[in-house]
Amino acid sequence: MSDFSIKVGDTSPAILVELSPSDVDVSGASVVFNMWDRRTKTVKIDRAAATIVAASGPAQLSYAWAVGDTDTEDTFEAEFEVTYVDGSVETFPNDSYIRVNVKSDIA
């Protein structure tokens, strides 16, 4: 997964990730988004509803920022948590985090 950058206070664009491996199928699943401060491990976003953009071939997930999500300049780590129809849970990425860089505005 790659880095994502956004400016303080912005709520667009949404964060969009393509799942790996590319044969993951999230049809019928539910998805949440989690994000914490990389250094302090303080949770910033806790299980916020996310969207399945493409269920397969390869699957894509998205989170639309809410007011307050990007109010602090910092580097965060994020992940998407998928709950499949059978109740099993898988976190993406499962070997690292999505680095979210919230940068300050000039004015």
Side-chain angles (χ1 to χ4, degrees):
M1 302 267 165
S2 61
D3 287 4
F4 179 86
S5 294
I6 193 165
K7 292 286 184 103
V8 169
D10 287 359
T11 54
S12 182
I15 185 170
L16 176 69
V17 299
E18 190 170 284
L19 300 186
S20 179
S22 60
D23 64 345
V24 172
D25 188 333
V26 294
S27 298
S30 61
V31 183
V32 296
F33 182 76
N34 302 303
M35 186 171 82
W36 66 4
D37 182 295
R38 183 172 66 96
R39 291 170 287 120
T40 67
K41 306 301 186 215
T42 302
V43 175
K44 178 77 171 168
I45 301 171
D46 187 17
R47 303 187 56 74
T51 303
I52 297 171
V53 176
S56 62
Q60 295 179 335
L61 307 177
S62 178
Y63 174 70
W65 302 103
V67 173
D69 287 348
T70 61
D71 62 356
T72 307
E73 179 183 7
D74 209 337
T75 300
F76 297 90
E77 292 177 331
E79 63 191 15
F80 286 88
E81 186 177 296
V82 175
T83 302
Y84 295 102
V85 176
D86 67 0
S88 62
V89 176
E90 187 172 6
T91 303
F92 295 92
N94 62 12
D95 62 347
S96 62
Y97 297 97
I98 304 160
R99 184 178 305 240
V100 176
N101 301 299
V102 179
K103 303 288 187 178
S104 64
D105 281 325
I106 292 174

